[in-house]
């Protein structure tokens, strides 16, 4: 893990220098006609492929603090279109585009930055726009002098205030990466860098509660070096519907245990049978209202709103998502939300479709990713090819996979598991393995009886699947901080 250093003293001086400049500008203004200082700097970067692109835009406010902002720019080519944006509301008219802040990122202090982005399409060419405005002011990258008192000479170049997030104050995955955000098709950390989280999924909490305790989660965080705990709360099969308060509390307790160990906590509303998420819509709203309110202050919580929709259309899943996501956002606006896909979260493939149905009709919400599940002994090249194809267009998160067959049982398919995890590593797609439990089935990481015995660290009680996953997950993470 990286060692931690204090912020360089230079940046503190730079912040002080800007404060003095702002004061000087204010002193020049007539007091009866106080005028806000304005100014902004924008960086626009793209990743482009045939017909499509992702744009990431960092907006820095160099003027007085604002509570709301609208970014404006013009595409150079008439064939360039915004398709799906995040972290802002986009409108396009001809070549002209505006992006308005959302509730959570409207306030920008002097010197503060925010990052937004979108997926776009292009036809003839994809040149980047060269001029941007923020609340009507052209972003020149420097401070705009007050119009009432133009300086006779150009102001000296100023060092922009620091825009970087301070270095982390801990070495756990959550301390280093902080609040995550979807950036283009990736999951980015607090430094705006794409990362991959690797971890384990619980089994059904109604059956394996005795596997999730301080000792087992110490082993997961310290011995396995996992980044992520997926908390699988079944809704049916003696799950949530039988005792909403009890299961909600159990989930919250496990969120706390993951948090205490610096892991991300993925709250999985584990719908399975029936496959139509609408069957559980009211329960989902009640559950997510409760857990998002309870965990709103945490930066390490991710919400998975439906495990494996099946036997329903994508438009039904999308409709469900567009009703549940606002419930979460009302309490926990900046948390990443994950949406299951058609055919047991196969991007539609297991029901004869493909990821086009999602890419062409995305959920109308920002900061979301779509889930993909596989079982290595059952799902091979045709599924891998579709994931690879989809990964350049939509953000993916593998919230569940097995090394065995889709029944959850059988032998580890090492060749297919290697092919899958190598692909996910290369694409920086995060994953959680089914299961961190001692269930009597090939997908379980521990041998039956382990949880009663309480010895989790090391390899003595691992199954073949557990051994395989522990050795993959323990390898060093790549969490860039600059
Ligand atoms: C399986 C469990 C098994 C349980 C069954 C029904 O391993 O013990 O009896 O669910 O609840 C999924 C599901 C996940 C399944 C898993 C393996 O998300 O709940 O767990 N699987 O079948 N999708 C594909 C495979």
């Amino acid at each position: 893990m990286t060692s931690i250093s204090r912020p360089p003293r230079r940046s503190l001086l730079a912040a002080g220098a800007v404060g003095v400049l702002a004061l000087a500008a204010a002193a020049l203004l007539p007091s009866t006609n106080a005028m806000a200082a304005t100014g902004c700097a924008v960086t626009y970067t793209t990743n482009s492929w045939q017909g499509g692109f992702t744009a990431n835009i960092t907006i820095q406010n160099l003027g007085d603090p604002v509570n709301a902002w609208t970014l404006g720019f013009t595409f150079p080519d008439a064939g360039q279109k915004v398709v799906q944006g995040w972290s802002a509301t986009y409108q396009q008219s001809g070549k002209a585009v505006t992006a308005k802040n959302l509730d959570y990122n409207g306030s920008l202090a002097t010197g503060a930055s925010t990052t937004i982005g979108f997926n776009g399409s292009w036809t003839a060419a994809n040149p980047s726009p060269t001029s941007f405005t923020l609340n009507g002011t052209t972003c020149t990258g420097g401070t705009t002098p007050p119009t009432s008192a133009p300086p006779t000479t150009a102001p000296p170049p100023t060092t922009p205030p620091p825009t970087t997030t301070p270095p982390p104050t801990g070495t756990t995955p959550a301390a280093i990466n902080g609040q995550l955000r979807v950036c283009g098709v990736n999951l980015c950390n607090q430094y705006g860098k794409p990362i991959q989280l690797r971890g384990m999924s619980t089994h059904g909490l109604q059956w394996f509660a005795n596997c999730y305790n301080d000792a087992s989660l110490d082993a997961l965080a310290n011995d396995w070096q996992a980044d992520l705990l997926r908390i699988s709360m079944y809704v049916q099969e003696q799950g949530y519907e039988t005792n909403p308060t009890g299961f909600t509390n159990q989930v919250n307790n496990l969120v706390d245990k993951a948090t205490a160990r610096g892991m991300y906590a993925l709250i999985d509303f584990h719908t399975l049978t029936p496959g139509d998420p609408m069957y559980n819509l009211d329960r989902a709203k009640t559950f997510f209202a409760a857990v998002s309110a309870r965990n709103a202050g945490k930066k390490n919580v991710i919400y998975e709103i439906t495990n494996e929709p099946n036997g329903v259309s994508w438009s039904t899943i999308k409709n469900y998502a567009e009703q549940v996501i606002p419930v979460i956002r009302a309490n926990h606006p900046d948390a990443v939300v994950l949406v299951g896909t058609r055919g047991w979260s196969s991007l539609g493939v297991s029901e004869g479709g493909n990821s086009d149905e999602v890419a062409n009709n995305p959920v109308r919400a920002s900061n979301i990713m779509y889930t993909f599940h596989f079982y290595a002994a059952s799902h091979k090249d045709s599924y891998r090819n579709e994931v690879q194809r989809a990964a350049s267009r939509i953000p993916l998160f593998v919230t569940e996979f097995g090394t065995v067959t889709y029944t959850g049982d059988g032998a580890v398919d090492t060749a297919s598991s290697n092919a899958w995890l190598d692909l996910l590593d290369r694409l920086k797609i995060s994953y959680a393995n089914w299961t961190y439990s001692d269930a009597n089935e090939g997908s379980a990481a521990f041998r039956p009886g382990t949880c009663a015995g309480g010895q989790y660290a090391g390899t003595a009680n691992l199954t073949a699947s557990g051994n395989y996953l522990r050795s993959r997950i323990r390898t060093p993470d790549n969490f860039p901080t600059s």
Side-chain angles (χ1 to χ4, degrees), residues 405-464:
T405 70
Y406 69 85
T407 63
D409 207 357
V412 172
D413 186 330
T414 307
S416 179
S417 297
N418 283 340
W420 271 115
L421 295 190
D422 291 350
L423 178 69
L424 301 187
D425 290 353
R426 183 161 61 76
L427 297 172
K428 289 195 193 297
I429 295 178
S430 298
Y431 64 73
N433 173 254
W434 186 263
T435 57
Y436 198 67
S437 82
D438 65 354
N440 188 12
E441 54 190 17
S443 56
F446 294 105
R447 297 203 183 108
T450 300
C451 300
Q455 170 54 47
Y456 302 94
T459 56
N461 287 325
L462 296 179
T463 62

Side-chain angles (χ1 to χ4, degrees), residues 268-309:
D268 162 32
F269 192 68
H270 201 84
T271 59
L272 184 59
T273 309
D276 183 349
M278 287 298 191
Y279 178 83
N280 288 305
L281 178 63
D282 289 343
R283 290 182 196 93
K285 287 182 177 174
T286 303
F287 173 72
F288 282 109
V291 291
S292 62
R294 158 63 160 66
N295 298 299
K298 300 192 178 71
K299 294 182 176 174
N300 65 315
V301 176
I302 304 170
Y303 300 94
E304 180 179 4
I305 60 175
T306 174
N307 168 50
E308 291 189 350

